[in-house]
Amino acid sequence: MPDAKRFFDPRPESVSLARAFAVTTLTSWGLHSPAEDIRLCVSELASNALIHGTDTEHGFLVRLDANEDYVRVEVHDSRPRHRLEPEIAHTDGNDTTGRGLEIVASLADGWGVEDRRPSGKIVWTRFKTGQPTRQGQAC
């Protein structure tokens, strides 16, 4: 099973399309157990990319890759990393926004940020699969 990736336009409807893409891909790979957590993380990361990481002319890319141990999810955006570095916000019980990366960190088995060339960043997460999928590729 090859990796899967899809580009999404910079519009609000793209977040739900990204969620559906992730679930459909995972289901086709037979990976049902991490699907709900991954769906939620894709939603948070796609929302962040749409709000903070894209310009009106540039959308975002979602990429999924799996091996026998992990599923790696990447959300690529085009805005330079130094302008808006993703970080977990320190919210209190009354805040209604700003919890996206806190949710991602609590559900994923790891996450981080990498530079994207020629510009932008990649926010990635990984999830243990608990199921054999394919061999020989690292997440």
Side-chain angles (χ1 to χ4, degrees):
M1 109 188 63
D3 70 331
K5 57 187 170 187
R6 184 164 299 159
F7 178 81
F8 297 92
D9 292 325
R11 54 190 176 107
E13 302 82 29
S14 292
V15 174
S16 64
L17 295 172
R19 282 192 307 259
F21 164 70
V23 170
T24 300
T25 300
L26 294 168
T27 300
S28 74
W29 291 347
L31 296 173
H32 304 283
S33 64
E36 184 58 27
D37 288 348
I38 291 172
R39 184 189 72 80
L40 183 54
C41 288
V42 165
S43 184
E44 295 297 338
L45 296 179
S47 294
N48 284 351
L50 186 64
I51 294 166
H52 304 293
T54 60
D55 294 318
T56 55
E57 302 85 29
H58 299 90
F60 61 93
L61 178 98
V62 175
R63 180 179 179 269
L64 294 102
D65 190 20
N67 65 27
E68 63 188 30
D69 298 318
Y70 290 99
V71 174
R72 179 175 164 120
V73 178
E74 300 176 352
V75 177
H76 299 227
D77 67 37
S78 56
R79 195 169 283 175
R81 184 174 165 183
H82 67 275
R83 288 179 56 194
L84 291 169
E85 182 72 24
E87 61 182 40
I88 296 175
H90 300 287
T91 59
D92 66 32
N94 297 322
D95 293 331
T96 58
T97 62
R99 298 176 194 265
L101 287 178
E102 187 176 352
I103 291 168
V104 169
S106 71
L107 294 175
D109 294 302
W111 75 278
V113 183
E114 299 173 1
D115 287 329
R116 180 177 172 266
R117 301 284 187 249
S119 68
K121 62 189 167 299
I122 301 166
V123 181
W124 60 267
T125 61
R126 73 175 184 191
F127 300 83
K128 291 179 184 173
T129 61
Q131 300 178 29
T133 54
R134 61 184 160 147
Q135 298 179 11
Q137 295 184 344
C139 287

